[in-house]
Amino acid sequence: MELRGRRILVCDCEKTMPLDAEKLRDACHANGASGEIELNTQLCRGQLANFQAAIQGDAPVLVACTQEAPLFAEIADEEQAKGELDFVNIRESAGWAAEAESATPKIAALIAAASEAVAPTRTVSFKSEGVCLVYGSDERAIEAARQLAGSLQVTVLLTSGQGILPPRRMDVPIFQGRIKAAKGHLGGFAITVDAYASALPSSRLELLFEAPRDNAYSECDLILDLTGDAPLFPEHDRRDGYLRPDPDNPALVQKAIFDVAGLVGEFEKPRYVDYDPAICAHARSQKTGCNRCLDHCPVSAITPDGDTVAIDPQVCGGCGLCASVCPTGAVTYALPGGNSLFERLRTLLSAYRAAGGGQPDLLLHDERDGAEMISAMSRGGRGLPASVVPLAVNEVTQVGIDFFALALGYGAHAIAILIPPSHRAELAGLASQMALAETVMEGLGHGGGRIHLIGEEDPDAVEAALFALSPGDAAKPGTFLPLGGKRTRTMLGLRHLHDVAPSPQDILAMPPGAPFGAVNVDKGCCTLCLACVGTCPTGALLDDPDRPWLGFNEEACVQCGLCANTCPESVITLEPRLNFTEAAKSTVTLNEAEPFECIRCGTPFGVKPTIERITQQLAGKHPMFMDSGRIERMMMCENCRVVAELESDDTPFKAAARPRTHTTEDAFREREIEEARAKVLAERARQGKAEGSDESS
């Protein structure tokens, strides 16, 4: 069988899954597959030749088995297979379950979703040269350093040397001090140490040290922390290159020593998030707007950077909380890249219905704790209900309102999220996004209680919670594509939920802090200075270069508050709401006025009501504006104001009257005058000479 150009191989795992080849074929054909299903029973052993035949050629292959993925990948490498090789788990997710015989639509949906292409993810590089700091409080740190000395460049830093017997041979350098500040990552740690001192070679019964000094600075590639004190970094388990085992557990200490010894060379990890500073709503002109990513990052990988933020990809642990809570989509989760997750979500839910399934419940989980939990339920319990369709993500905390809006808009009846132990202290951001989705569903009449967090560690408790998902009707599924950025995707899902709502509300009130809403302006006090337009990061506030006018596009507003914080008159207020009318997509006028015309040249400038109000308040009342001429200059454009100021009698910059420009016509006129004058003088001279001659006669 083929689907989207992929060869599909299915195995019933030695008949432990009750797969019906014909039903599964028909279910897959409903999603665009073609050809017959060759149902294998022992694809990884006795029928391995079927796999070897399938990987011949350039076509990609999808194997419905994940347990034996390493074996299949090894064989594909030996065979130098050219086609892409992917895997999908239908056994623990559907086939090993009490309701396995009803799980055919789910299996078809899992196959269809796995056949979707996934956009690649960029990577970030690390380089470690093996410079390791062993930070401890007793002889165990020295012993660990000795074990590592053969493969790493090791230095020991002890919090105190009191009571520690000096080593007979100083085979590792030993210092004393307490780390008061640490930053960095694998291959680039920087520490600041107080009470720093090197060990004296004359130490006899216990380690003695030189005179201590504070604020000593050092750098290293790796840190092995055996102090048992508070960790040097928040969420230290995600800090690459920093290992902090329990020093009282020898097995964990030895494992950490083994792990840190291998951290030499060049390494890569995914670049978990992409960032577009152009639409970041953090700040403008030193006015703070949005701090959501800064407040929720558990590893402090995000720092303010002027009007935007800076995200250190080498420190980022990939939890995705920044992308979840970002209102503009400036931060997006990039594993997988692009819209791959949302396209797979759409395929999964639509394929389930197309294959004959009813109303699906979506189970969101990660590939570590979540996959293990599903495996435990399938092996020792009833497994997943047939209506619960699992979707694996890198981190469950990466999803936000856009994901929930799309999942519910594509027809998910409920969304259950398996919370791993490592994330139970980081649920505030996820909870805020869930609250937004629940507010919309409740307000539109779909009913609340659609999204559930499941944090139990007992597989039986998780299983019970999934079987107890409340009944009800899902929204009529949409077929729209998950196009555009976060805001566009979100509104696509929300508008569909509004269109099919049992009790649609054109304007739905939202809780404070929601990234949707209107901006209200007190027109009577607004001076139309338009400072709010310059500070709006999303272009929701607009102006007109030809007239005093302030416009607003509600669908673009994320309620960051920068406009209200910037307004010098404090006349802007925010109104969190969801506006489903067409007016939200268009630009509406918040305030407008006639321009004032210069009383000298007639050029329009400024805002007429504002200038009139200012002149009325200052004329004859302020010492600087007792003269009517100064009031008149306030009613002139900038060019005329300068001219009038220079013409004023009381200005210290007054100059002599500007001389008249001497033109060519003036030169001709002057020449004519001189010529006429010369003629007159010549005539007079001639006449005088004639009269003198007559008198002589």
Side-chain angles (χ1 to χ4, degrees), residues 285-354:
S285 303
Q286 299 182 344
K287 298 289 186 180
T288 302
C290 175
N291 275 332
R292 290 176 175 89
C293 61
L294 292 165
D295 294 340
H296 288 92
C297 180
V299 296
S300 300
I302 308 177
T303 54
D305 187 20
D307 286 346
T308 58
V309 298
I311 302 178
D312 189 338
Q314 294 177 308
V315 174
C316 175
C319 69
L321 282 167
C322 53
S324 171
V325 300
C326 180
T328 65
V331 184
T332 55
Y333 206 75
L335 184 63
N339 283 345
S340 298
L341 173 62
F342 308 105
E343 291 167 355
R344 180 164 287 190
L345 169 68
R346 176 179 182 270
T347 299
L348 183 69
L349 297 178
S350 61
Y352 178 82
R353 287 180 178 270

Side-chain angles (χ1 to χ4, degrees), residues 24-94:
L24 183 57
R25 177 203 62 196
D26 294 342
C28 290
H29 281 192
N31 291 307
S34 61
E36 294 293 327
I37 285 184
E38 182 180 350
L39 186 59
N40 296 276
T41 296
Q42 202 180 52
L43 184 64
C44 59
R45 297 293 185 271
Q47 295 173 303
L48 195 56
N50 293 342
F51 171 75
Q52 292 173 312
I55 60 175
Q56 303 302 316
D58 299 332
V61 175
L62 176 64
V63 181
C65 173
T66 54
Q67 175 178 288
E68 299 298 328
L71 171 65
F72 291 128
E74 180 181 352
I75 293 173
D77 186 59
E78 292 175 354
E79 299 281 343
Q80 297 182 347
K82 297 180 181 179
E84 183 181 355
L85 182 61
D86 289 310
F87 305 92
V88 59
N89 184 352
I90 66 169
R91 188 178 67 178
E92 283 84 352
S93 297

